Each structure stands twice: as C-alpha cells, then as structure tokens.
C-alpha cells in the first residue's frame, strides 16, 4: 500500500532484502488515496477517504464515466509511487480484491503494462480443496465473486500476465495456522499457487486489518515444521517473478 502509514518503513526493509518479491497492493476502496479529494471527488467521502462500501463503489464505477476516469488517475498515481521506490514490481493485486471489478481490471492492466507489470493475483480458491483439509468446515463456492475473478484471469492472461492457478488463504484469511498451511502443502494441486497470508506481530492493527489470528500466521510461516515440510515435499517457493511465464 504505497499510501499506507508504514510505506516508508516497508520500502526501506525491502531494499535491505533484495531477494524479497514485492508487489503493489492497489487501494481503491476503504483506505487513503494518493490523489487529493478535488481530483477524485467520486471516489472519496467528505474526509477525503476512499469509500468503504464496496457494493456502492462498484455500482458507481459501472454507471459513471467520470468515476472511471478518476479511478484510472488514482491507479496511475499508485503505480508511479511504486516505481519511484526503485523496487522491481513482482505483481499487482488490490485491497479487498477490488480488482475483480471489470472497471478496475481494465486500467490495472493497461496502466500496469507501462510500468512493467507481469503478474496479477486472481483470487480463486477451490472450496472442494478446503473441505479435504477440514471436512467439518463450511466451505462453499463464492458465486458472486468467482465469475468476475475468472473474467479477470482471462483478461490478465490475454494481456500476457502470469496468474496463479489457485490462491489459498482467502476463506481462512487471518487464520492460516500451521496445520492449515501444512494441509495445503501436502495436497498442493498442479500449477502456480499463491498462499495468501497477513503475518503480524500483533492483531487488530487497523480497521482494515482486523483479526487477532495474524500472529498465528507469522508463527506458522516461521516454524521449522513448515520449512522442513516444504523441503521434504520439494515445493518450489518464491514470488511470481521466480517462475517462468509458461
């Protein structure tokens, strides 16, 4: 989040870790924009904050050309801010997966190409896979988001982007425990998989990052058991740019 309060600190840390793959997390709803309120009046509230109601924001983009033009300008500003860090752009996604909206996907891809974009998260998580890990869990397909996510995948691949075959951690967001990550690794499907986590040293970091389970995710990612399992199974790990486009 290039406009986030801790962005400068994150950039400094990333520069000290050249093997770390860093992506741009576009914030187009429920957060702070880069452009002033006067430049994007249809995207923000009276306080200059991006609208929190995703459904209303989505309808506005479908119905109002002015809102779409303002959205493209904000996306351009965030890409430019990332480019100014000097960090290689590994991938792009969006806060609350708002990039599955067709009006967001189009400028994300078009502007991104000019900034060297080569990979996009497509948030598709097979519920049947989750049921194999936790048979007692209530895991159902998201019939609202899934069609738009599949359309995003088609558009991204047509634009020459790398996309994951599946993303795990969506249903268990904030609660990717060691047993759940191990379950994913032990049943890993074919293709490129993104494991989606929010590791943190403490929970409830902000209104947009709720959930006390995130220290659990940090512990899971740093435990020797998970590292040993990755090695034992021969799983290749890295960022999107660590894998060939094919």
């Amino acid at each position: 989040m290039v406009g986030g309060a801790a962005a400068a600190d994150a950039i400094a840390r990333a520069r000290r870790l050249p093997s770390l793959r860093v992506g741009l997390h576009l914030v187009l709803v429920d957060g702070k924009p880069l452009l002033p309120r006067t430049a994007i009046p249809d995207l923000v509230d009276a306080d200059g904050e991006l609208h929190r109601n995703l459904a209303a924001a989505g309808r506005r983009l479908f119905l109002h050309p002015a809102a779409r033009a303002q959205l493209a300008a904000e996306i351009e500003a965030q890409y430019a801010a990332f480019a100014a860090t000097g960090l290689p752009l590994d991938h792009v996604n969006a806060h609350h997966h708002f990039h599955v909206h067709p009006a967001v996907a189009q400028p994300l891809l078009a502007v991104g190409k000019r900034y060297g974009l080569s990979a996009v998260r497509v948030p598709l998580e097979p519920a049947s896979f989750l049921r194999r890990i936790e048979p007692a869990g209530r895991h159902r397909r998201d019939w609202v988001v899934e069609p738009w996510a599949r359309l995003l995948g088609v558009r991204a691949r047509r634009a020459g982007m790398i996309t994951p075959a599946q993303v795990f951690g969506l249903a268990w967001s904030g609660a990717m425990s060691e047993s759940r990550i191990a379950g994913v690794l032990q049943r890993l499907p074919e293709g490129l998989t993104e494991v989606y986590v929010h590791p943190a040293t403490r929970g409830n970091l902000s209104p947009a990052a709720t959930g006390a389970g995130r220290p659990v995710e940090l512990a899971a990612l740093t435990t020797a058991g998970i590292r040993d399992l990755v090695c034992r199974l021969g799983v290749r790990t890295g960022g999107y740019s660590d894998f060939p486009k094919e």
Side-chain angles (χ1 to χ4, degrees), residues 122-137:
V122 176
L124 287 170
E125 183 176 55
S128 59
F129 185 93
L130 304 183
R131 287 194 291 269
R132 290 198 293 272
I133 298 174
E134 292 186 357

Side-chain angles (χ1 to χ4, degrees), residues 40-180:
I40 50 171
D42 294 310
L43 305 184
V44 297
D45 59 22
D47 296 322
E49 296 290 315
L50 293 160
H51 291 298
R52 292 186 178 183
N53 187 316
L54 273 66
R59 287 194 299 271
R60 191 175 295 108
L61 291 174
F62 271 129
L63 298 173
H64 300 292
R68 293 195 294 273
Q70 294 166 29
L71 178 87
E74 178 64 25
I75 288 174
E76 176 89 38
Q78 293 188 31
Y79 270 112
F82 187 97
T85 70
L87 296 169
L89 179 61
D90 182 73
H91 62 276
V92 166
N93 49 55
H95 194 36
H96 296 310
H97 310 296
F98 201 52
H99 61 308
V100 303
H101 193 300
V104 179
Q106 191 279 327
L108 178 149
L109 294 169
V111 177
K113 274 202 161 185
R114 292 192 276 106
Y115 286 91
L117 178 63
S118 62
V120 177
R121 173 193 291 155
V122 176
L124 287 170
E125 183 176 55
S128 59
F129 185 93
L130 304 183
R131 287 194 291 269
R132 290 198 293 272
I133 298 174
E134 292 186 357
R138 296 182 178 181
H139 304 298
R140 299 183 178 89
R141 293 177 67 177
D142 189 334
W143 294 101
V144 175
V145 174
E146 184 176 324
W148 300 113
R150 292 194 180 281
L151 177 60
L152 168 66
V154 170
R155 296 177 69 174
R157 288 187 289 274
R158 284 178 178 171
M161 304 295 162
I162 300 170
T163 63
Q166 52 270 322
V167 176
F168 292 115
L170 304 176
W172 295 326
S173 181
M176 283 292 280
S177 62
E178 181 176 352
S179 64
R180 284 171 168 169

